[in-house]
Amino acid sequence: MLKATAYLFLKHSTHRAIPTRYLTAAAELQQDERLQSFRTQEADPSKHSKDHLAQFYTIPLSDRNVLFQHGGLPKTFQQHIKTFNETCLMVREPAVDIINCLKSIDYDKPAVRFVLYGKNGTGKSISLAHVLHYAFKNKFLIVHVPWVGDFMRHCKDSSNSETREGFIDLNINAAAWLLHFRTQNAELLKNPDLKISRDIQWTKRESTAKDSSILELIEHGINRMRFASDCVNILAEEIKLLSNAGICKTLVAIDGFNEFFYPTTKVYTEKKEIVHPNKITLTEGFLNLTKFDWKNAAVIVTVDEMTVKVHEEGTDPSMSHFPRFLLGKHGFEHLDPFLPVNVPLFSKKEHESIMDYFRERRWVRPYPGQDEELYFLSGGNPFTLLDYCKSL
Amino acid sequence: MMRKIGIAFRPHNLLNIQNWLLSSRKILEIRTLSAQASSTTEIGSIDTGAPVENGDSKKNLSKAMKAYLDRAREHDEFMNAQRVEFEIGKRHLANMMGENPETFTQADIDNAIEYLFPSGLYQKHARPIMKPPEEVFPQRKAAEFDETGRPYHFLFYTGRSNFYQVLYDVVEHINEMYKFEDSMTRKNLQPDPMLKLNLSGTEWIAKSALEFRVVETVSDREYNTFVTAMDRLSNMPFAYKVKDFIMEYRVSLMNQSETYDAIKPQIREDGRESVTVYECRRKRAIGNVTVISPGTGKITINGQGISYFEGIQEREQILFPLIFSNMQNKVDIEAEMQNGGPSGQAGAIRYGISWALRSFVDQETMESMRLAGLLTFDIRVRERKKPGQAGARRKFTWKKR
Amino acid sequence: MAAAKGLFAKCQLFKWNIQAISAGIFQNGMAIYPSFYIDPIFRKEVQQELVQSGEIDQYAHLPTKPAANNQTCSLTFDPDISLFTNYLMRDGRKNFARQLVEKSLEQVKRIQLEKFHKCTSEEDKAKIELDPKVIFHRAVTNSMPLLQLMPVKRGGVKYQVPVPVSHHRSRFLGMKWLIEASREKDKKTVRFWTQLARELVDASNNSGRVIRRKQDLHRQCEANKAYAHYRWS
């Protein structure tokens, strides 16, 4: 199965001719030139620069299976990957800016924090995925939360925490996240230097010894879901210590960070009361990781309007996509100081690029004036554009 | 809506004005004009005025004929009197307005009356008028038979001789056409395409106009017969040979000149031209739309971009006039809308954009926009609920008992 | 000033409208416009055709009705799909109906692209239709019945008489059957647009539930051929 898809991927991701029934002989040549202009062969994000802006690069299947096995790419995008038989991301300015920053920051200083913000559907998650790929290629230890809404809004189960009074554990979600962490960092976790700094006593009979590999800690958390949430918190502490010691460099990537501060969740106590994220054990671990009291690390976070929209009925006129509003007072104080990175709407060039890509992939039937019409209708919003290309 | 309803005469309007005009002057002696310049109808060669001479043998006159003559004479006298009054009145009016009585035209009379007798009535033909008596008073038929009782017109016994004369003429022409066609076919000649009858822009005269012309009542059915007959005649290949006859019964349609009367653009501070359409409406939505040229295709609605509208249908509606006239990247649009829902607001903006774009576009494009339905104001509104019914149309469930 | 004057005239019309209502004269959508108002010709290519054939002169002096809400000159506009959306719409929720149709067309594309990528030879690839609108048209054309059964009462008995069906009615039946077939599904797991997509693809290949229904109807008409004369009796 993988071989077949790999074959198809190889067959379709390289330069190939458009069927002539769409084109005259003269236009075919022009189309080939444009074909090359919207794709780039550079598959290493470290080498992406301003020259590659508005071009599509393909994530190799092997990388994709490791990085995004358990989430990280938006649902609609996953469907597109399946239909197009390839994972192509557009190289856009926010991601390139962050990558350049990551290349040039001094890792001996406290962790730098980036906040990706933008209107709904502008491509924050995709930019985050791009940066993740860069981190993967450069052997960062990746702490990636694909979607905080999975914890807060789609929690599979909840139980009272054993170690802390009044706190709620999300067992299945925590275990699933540990699995995700293990898959992403499979290569790096083989490194014997990644050791736990202290003894951990789970119960009377179960314990994890000091200087045992982090992998054991994770395995324990996955196998024993009861302790998964606590395992996550301990893992967070250990990772910080390891980074401080310089054994590994870490990238923390969290999508939908503002959900950690939004008071309304879909997590309920036994008495059917809404649980504030403060009272969820998992929150503590991730908030710990996003502090600036450690080095050899970088933190990238996105803030999302959808969090608030889902809970509020109708559109609040005071609604804004800016971080200060979405994070709220506590979130802002926690993250301050940070580097805000705006994810803008499509420019005309990016719009043309994605339309060329869709036409090449046979997703969209071309007609004269298509680009201008769709640019006007979508207003440059990437998600809306995808929406309007559905029936074309 | 634009068709003229037949002239409804308001003799009291006329009389009042003329009385008013004459009251300040001595009424001159009314001279009876000769009966030859009388009120008999003249439609082509249908009916000629029956000469009446008082010196004829009165013994042979039938009672009906006598009555006719009396009535005809009275009518003639009356019409003459009215004509004289009208002329005098016209001269007085000219003097009053300080114009030259010799060159005082009907248009001048109309303006003068409008000025002197301003009326706020909505129906134009209820307002004061001063027109020549021929236009105001209905025409009457002259004597239709002579003293022996023998009718002049061969179709007299149809009861509506003038109308059936028209149909008779049509049939005559059709038969002529058939013969002509046959003769041409024998010579292997085709009808000249250059001379083909072009009836576009005209329509058959309205029923009321036909009634006025033949001085007879025409029922709906008879009118339809007339139209069918005329259509048949005009669809014949050599119809151009009877073009004059056909065009007598054609009336030109309304002119779309109002559509071409574009708003004059204003110059803004930054030197660009702009046109603002105020009070663009659709259902309950109302607002102003400004189109600025030259532009880049930027659009602002209530301060937001196109994302103001969530549905694709609304966005497409705003795009419609722009891509239709190929002005999508050439103008900027600013709209302020209140009330209504998204659909109504989008419709109002579409109308506003179309109406404003006329100023930046040539006449041909304006005409094609009109045909596309962009320049027609959409007067459809939500129909009210009626008492005794559940909705506007929906009735309550009918229960047998 | 001319704008204000023109608008005043429009408002006059508006006032007349109110008068008409109060007089108890009912209006019905576009029927409020007099009969000599022509339907708008909002497609650019249709207008160009008329110009070339010279027929456009007859419209020069006729007023037009306004273009409807869903009509555009954009090349994405398809009158059949627009009609289908209207049939699907409930409670006047046009945007929602449109979303359903668009999602089902998207699903059709995905199904077809999957087949496309599975094919190895260029010949096979060329045979697969990737345009969802073409598939839609094929599906509707294939679902349109030629005859329908009308109940005719003769001698106290109601016979099902086969009767030829007009183009409009046939098209309506085809589209309605497609919608009904899409509604018959597992409500918990399958979405409407997925089912509709499957039905469209099946019908365009002359297979599936809708085609079966049409063929059943044709078979019944064939069986009731004997009663055909009851139409005129």
Side-chain angles (χ1 to χ4, degrees):
Chain A
M1 173 62 191
L2 271 171
K3 196 174 174 187
T5 37
Y7 166 71
L8 285 166
F9 149 73
L10 279 167
K11 192 168 180 200
H12 293 286
S13 65
T14 48
H15 171 84
R16 84 191 160 86
I18 305 278
T20 27
R21 62 188 156 115
Y22 285 120
L23 304 161
T24 62
E28 200 174 332
L29 206 65
Q30 200 190 28
Q31 191 71 16
D32 285 353
E33 284 169 16
R34 278 193 79 181
L35 180 74
Q36 286 175 350
S37 77
F38 75 80
R39 272 196 202 273
T40 172
Q41 303 302 322
E42 186 57 71
D44 188 0
S46 333
K47 304 208 180 99
H48 286 155
S49 65
K50 292 231 187 297
D51 299 328
H52 300 106
L53 284 181
Q55 289 183 334
F56 282 85
Y57 87 98
T58 322
I59 299 181
L61 198 66
S62 50
D63 292 352
R64 195 191 100 203
N65 284 343
V66 170
L67 265 179
F68 303 118
Q69 181 88 337
H70 300 282
L73 295 170
K75 264 191 199 159
T76 40
F77 192 73
Q78 280 175 9
Q79 283 190 312
H80 279 286
I81 292 169
K82 193 177 159 211
T83 312
F84 299 154
N85 272 331
E86 60 179 8
T87 317
C88 273
L89 295 187
M90 193 196 273
V91 177
R92 293 185 75 197
E93 213 180 310
V96 167
D97 282 345
I98 293 180
I99 289 170
N100 286 337
C101 280
L102 290 177
K103 282 189 218 166
S104 53
I105 57 174
D106 187 358
Y107 286 100
D108 287 331
K109 297 268 170 57
V112 182
R113 293 164 313 175
F114 299 92
V115 174
L116 280 165
Y117 71 98
K119 293 191 182 152
N120 263 334
T122 43
K124 300 183 284 292
S125 300
I126 303 278
S127 298
L128 196 67
H130 191 173
V131 177
L132 264 178
H133 191 213
Y134 163 80
F136 179 74
K137 283 286 189 198
N138 287 285
K139 311 253 186 281
F140 276 75
L141 187 73
I142 300 172
V143 181
H144 175 223
V145 180
W147 185 231
V148 181
D150 273 340
F151 299 154
M152 304 300 165
R153 281 189 265 140
H154 303 125
C155 68
K156 298 271 165 57
D157 79 331
S158 58
S159 62
N160 287 324
S161 171
E162 291 168 13
T163 44
R164 282 173 229 235
E165 274 296 310
F167 272 70
I168 303 285
D169 270 353
L170 306 171
N171 299 324
I172 300 178
N173 287 100
W177 183 81
L178 284 169
L179 184 62
H180 174 58
F181 179 78
R182 191 184 67 178
T183 325
Q184 279 188 322
N185 299 295
E187 277 298 312
L188 289 169
L189 289 172
K190 290 178 191 163
N191 184 357
D193 286 332
L194 294 170
K195 293 183 226 166
I196 313 175
S197 62
R198 60 183 175 95
D199 266 332
I200 306 163
Q201 194 74 28
W202 302 109
T203 57
K204 276 194 198 149
R205 271 165 273 169
E206 294 172 29
S207 70
T208 315
K210 181 178 165 175
D211 282 344
S212 55
S213 161
I214 277 199
L215 202 56
E216 276 185 40
L217 175 66
I218 297 166
E219 296 281 337
H220 186 88
I222 293 170
N223 293 332
R224 306 278 287 137
M225 282 208 274
R226 239 171 91 192
F227 307 113
S229 299
D230 292 322
C231 182
V232 169
N233 288 347
I234 296 167
L235 183 67
E237 288 169 14
E238 295 300 324
I239 289 171
K240 282 180 94 165
L241 289 168
L242 289 169
S243 282
N244 264 334
I247 299 168
C248 67
K249 49 183 183 172
T250 318
L251 181 82
V252 180
I254 300 181
D255 205 336
F257 189 66
N258 55 322
E259 249 194 287
F260 281 132
F261 302 100
Y262 196 72
T264 320
T265 62
K266 285 243 164 82
V267 182
Y268 300 107
T269 58
E270 284 160 350
K271 295 182 194 171
K272 307 278 185 180
E273 290 164 346
I274 295 175
V275 178
H276 196 282
N278 283 347
K279 296 286 180 195
I280 299 176
T281 31
L282 276 176
T283 317
E284 203 192 295
F286 293 115
L287 288 187
N288 197 6
L289 280 169
T290 49
K291 290 185 186 163
F292 55 79
D293 56 356
W294 51 318
K295 48 185 191 175
N296 231 350
V299 177
I300 305 174
V301 135
T302 63
V303 286
D304 205 347
E305 267 188 282
M306 285 309 287
T307 320
V308 185
K309 266 192 176 159
V310 160
H311 291 290
E312 304 291 338
E313 273 178 34
T315 327
D316 187 3
S318 66
M319 174 83 87
S320 155
H321 59 272
F322 291 107
R324 174 67 186 87
F325 174 80
L326 289 171
L327 289 169
K329 183 161 174 279
H330 296 291
F332 190 78
E333 280 171 9
H334 178 85
L335 268 187
D336 194 29
F338 60 83
L339 275 167
V341 181
N342 181 31
V343 181
L345 300 168
F346 271 160
S347 65
K348 282 241 159 128
K349 189 172 166 218
E350 290 173 332
H351 174 85
E352 273 172 29
S353 177
I354 197 169
M355 288 310 300
D356 282 335
Y357 176 64
F358 283 157
R359 281 187 281 262
E360 193 257 322
R361 291 276 90 197
R362 310 286 220 106
W363 184 241
V364 155
R365 250 50 50 195
Y367 61 85
Q370 185 178 49
D371 281 356
E372 286 87 30
E373 270 187 40
L374 284 170
Y375 192 65
F376 181 94
L377 287 174
S378 63
N381 188 309
F383 188 71
T384 326
L385 177 67
L386 258 64
D387 210 28
Y388 295 163
C389 287
K390 275 195 308 236
S391 62
L392 291 181
Chain B
M1 266 183 270
M2 309 292 177
R3 279 184 187 158
K4 270 175 108 172
I5 307 166
I7 298 166
F9 72 97
R10 300 271 186 267
H12 56 273
N13 291 4
L14 180 66
L15 288 170
N16 284 341
I17 293 161
Q18 293 203 325
N19 286 339
W20 180 83
L21 285 168
L22 287 168
S23 62
S24 56
R25 299 276 175 168
K26 204 173 158 191
I27 298 168
L28 299 171
E29 197 186 325
I30 300 162
R31 268 173 267 149
T32 10
L33 301 167
S34 80
Q36 281 177 359
S38 68
S39 62
T40 54
T41 61
E42 296 189 31
I43 307 171
S45 56
I46 290 173
D47 214 8
T48 46
V52 176
E53 278 152 34
N54 286 331
D56 236 355
S57 48
K58 289 178 192 171
K59 294 171 211 164
N60 292 342
L61 279 176
S62 58
K63 269 198 180 158
M65 190 59 176
K66 207 177 179 182
Y68 259 128
L69 286 173
D70 287 337
R71 248 182 283 152
R73 196 174 16 95
E74 275 171 25
H75 184 72
D76 287 344
E77 283 172 11
F78 170 74
M79 286 304 281
N80 289 335
Q82 290 297 319
R83 211 169 291 123
V84 166
E85 278 186 15
F86 177 77
E87 288 300 321
I88 293 168
K90 184 172 141 188
R91 296 185 79 87
H92 282 313
L93 190 60
N95 274 333
M96 252 184 273
M97 298 301 287
E99 303 274 342
N100 184 2
E102 308 297 336
T103 57
F104 207 55
T105 59
Q106 185 57 44
D108 294 331
I109 295 176
D110 291 338
N111 285 338
I113 295 297
E114 210 184 311
Y115 171 69
L116 291 168
F117 300 93
S119 167
L121 294 173
Y122 285 126
Q123 308 233 334
K124 294 256 170 89
H125 43 263
R127 295 179 184 177
I129 49 163
M130 185 171 160
K131 299 245 186 249
E134 290 81 24
E135 284 180 40
V136 174
F137 296 101
Q139 301 284 29
R140 293 176 62 114
K141 270 188 176 181
E144 288 175 275
F145 46 84
D146 62 14
E147 3 23 289
T148 58
R150 191 162 178 246
Y152 292 116
H153 202 287
F154 74 103
L155 290 174
F156 170 75
Y157 288 109
T158 61
R160 276 188 278 263
S161 48
N162 291 342
F163 171 72
Y164 284 106
Q165 172 74 55
V166 174
L167 291 181
Y168 181 84
D169 286 341
V170 171
V171 172
E172 286 276 295
H173 285 307
I174 288 174
N175 287 333
E176 272 175 39
M177 286 296 106
Y178 280 147
K179 284 188 194 151
F180 188 71
E181 256 185 80
D182 288 340
S183 71
M184 292 307 246
T185 318
R186 257 176 260 129
K187 295 181 207 164
N188 270 330
L189 289 171
Q190 297 295 321
D192 192 351
M194 294 292 287
L195 292 172
K196 191 168 182 247
L197 202 61
N198 185 17
L199 296 175
S200 71
T202 54
E203 54 175 8
W204 297 117
I205 55 168
K207 187 171 89 90
S208 45
L210 184 65
E211 281 185 337
F212 185 79
R213 230 188 252 198
V214 299
V215 198
E216 284 161 4
T217 49
V218 176
S219 75
D220 284 338
R221 223 192 213 183
E222 286 164 352
Y223 178 72
N224 288 335
T225 319
F226 163 75
V227 169
T228 320
M230 294 300 276
D231 275 335
R232 189 163 155 204
L233 177 62
S234 43
N235 285 335
M236 304 196 87
F238 288 96
Y240 57 81
K241 293 198 70 75
V242 285
K243 187 178 173 187
D244 294 332
F245 173 74
I246 293 172
M247 292 317 277
E248 265 183 41
Y249 295 97
R250 293 292 287 194
V251 160
S252 60
L253 285 172
M254 61 172 236
N255 214 0
Q256 300 290 340
S257 56
E258 197 193 69
T259 321
Y260 307 138
D261 216 358
I263 308 166
K264 192 163 167 247
Q266 294 182 329
I267 315 276
R268 301 174 104 220
E269 291 163 350
D270 52 4
R272 302 194 289 171
E273 289 186 326
S274 84
V275 173
T276 310
V277 185
Y278 296 99
E279 291 191 20
C280 303
R281 291 178 195 252
R282 173 87 225 280
K283 293 194 198 176
R284 289 272 179 190
I286 181 167
N288 309 330
V289 174
T290 313
V291 170
I292 305 155
S293 164
T296 50
K298 195 175 144 210
I299 175 150
T300 321
I301 306 164
N302 283 0
Q304 297 176 38
I306 193 102
S307 55
Y308 175 79
F309 288 119
E310 284 177 21
I312 183 171
Q313 188 171 279
E314 285 84 46
R315 297 186 189 193
E316 275 182 343
Q317 284 300 290
I318 298 177
L319 181 70
F320 181 12
L322 295 169
I323 51 172
F324 192 86
S325 54
N326 293 321
M327 299 286 278
Q328 201 234 308
N329 287 326
K330 296 177 191 155
V331 288
D332 285 345
I333 295 163
E334 286 171 17
E336 295 145 22
M337 281 287 145
Q338 288 118 38
N339 299 332
S343 194
Q345 288 192 344
I349 294 174
R350 183 187 92 182
Y351 176 74
I353 294 173
S354 316
W355 205 246
L357 271 180
R358 293 176 309 146
S359 315
F360 302 112
V361 138
D362 62 353
Q363 185 138 331
E364 214 182 295
T365 319
M366 264 199 256
E367 176 61 20
S368 55
M369 274 169 75
R370 184 189 73 81
L371 281 175
L374 283 169
L375 298 177
T376 319
F377 181 73
D378 200 334
I379 57 173
R380 297 179 291 167
V381 283
R382 187 175 151 270
E383 202 172 317
R384 72 158 276 200
K385 177 197 174 311
K386 285 104 196 170
Q389 293 179 10
R393 299 282 168 119
R394 165 124 171 84
K395 318 287 182 286
F396 289 125
T397 315
W398 180 74
K399 293 194 182 110
K400 199 164 180 180
R401 38 187 80 81
Chain C
M1 199 55 223
K5 199 175 168 189
L7 196 65
F8 181 61
K10 302 292 178 295
C11 290
Q12 293 274 47
L13 218 57
F14 197 59
K15 281 183 189 156
W16 175 80
N17 193 12
I18 295 171
Q19 285 168 20
I21 294 167
S22 57
I25 301 164
F26 300 126
Q27 310 129 57
N28 175 17
M30 286 294 186
I32 192 176
Y33 291 97
S35 52
F36 54 85
Y37 270 59
I38 55 162
D39 282 330
I41 310 159
F42 55 90
R43 307 290 303 160
K44 270 191 178 170
E45 54 273 11
V46 176
Q47 275 203 19
Q48 268 162 18
E49 267 173 51
L50 287 175
V51 167
Q52 273 169 8
S53 69
E55 283 175 36
I56 204 150
D57 296 329
Q58 64 182 283
Y59 300 118
H61 298 268
L62 291 171
T64 26
K65 296 178 196 168
N69 244 355
N70 56 353
Q71 293 171 338
T72 56
C73 65
S74 166
L75 290 163
T76 53
F77 176 79
D78 191 319
D80 286 327
I81 289 186
S82 190
L83 193 66
F84 187 78
T85 321
N86 283 342
Y87 290 155
L88 185 59
M89 171 173 65
R90 277 188 182 168
D91 299 332
R93 295 169 67 197
K94 179 85 78 106
N95 267 324
F96 181 60
R98 186 174 171 160
Q99 273 180 45
L100 287 178
V101 172
E102 292 201 340
K103 279 182 178 164
S104 70
L105 291 177
E106 186 191 21
Q107 196 62 26
V108 165
K109 266 201 288 190
R110 290 196 200 278
I111 294 170
Q112 293 298 100
L113 274 169
E114 211 181 301
K115 286 187 209 163
F116 183 84
H117 289 312
K118 272 192 191 145
C119 287
T120 40
S121 71
E122 287 294 326
E123 276 174 35
D124 291 338
K125 285 194 191 234
K127 281 184 200 163
I128 295 179
E129 182 57 58
L130 293 173
D131 191 347
K133 292 185 180 168
V134 169
I135 301 240
F136 174 84
H137 288 129
R138 274 189 206 160
V140 171
T141 320
N142 290 344
S143 322
M144 281 166 60
L146 300 165
L147 297 165
Q148 63 173 359
L149 292 169
M150 294 288 283
V152 172
K153 200 166 175 187
R154 294 269 179 270
V157 182
K158 271 209 180 131
Y159 296 103
Q160 293 291 326
V161 174
V163 150
V165 66
S166 74
H167 173 79
H168 279 136
R169 172 91 184 140
S170 174
R171 187 176 60 179
F172 166 71
L173 282 175
M175 288 183 178
K176 186 175 155 196
W177 289 344
L178 281 165
I179 295 170
E180 284 181 3
S182 316
R183 290 207 177 117
E184 292 167 19
K185 59 173 176 65
D186 184 2
K187 288 198 175 171
K188 282 196 178 171
T189 47
V190 182
R191 301 307 301 260
F192 174 84
W193 60 76
T194 328
Q195 188 62 28
L196 179 59
R198 286 183 205 156
E199 297 296 339
L200 286 174
V201 171
D202 282 341
S204 70
N205 289 331
N206 251 320
S207 66
R209 288 194 247 174
V210 184
I211 303 298
R212 207 169 350 119
R213 185 170 176 177
K214 179 188 89 158
Q215 283 165 355
D216 282 344
L217 179 64
H218 283 173
R219 235 171 277 134
Q220 275 200 311
C221 290
E222 187 66 32
N224 284 15
K225 212 164 46 172
Y227 302 136
H229 68 283
Y230 281 154
R231 251 180 93 203
W232 305 278
S233 193

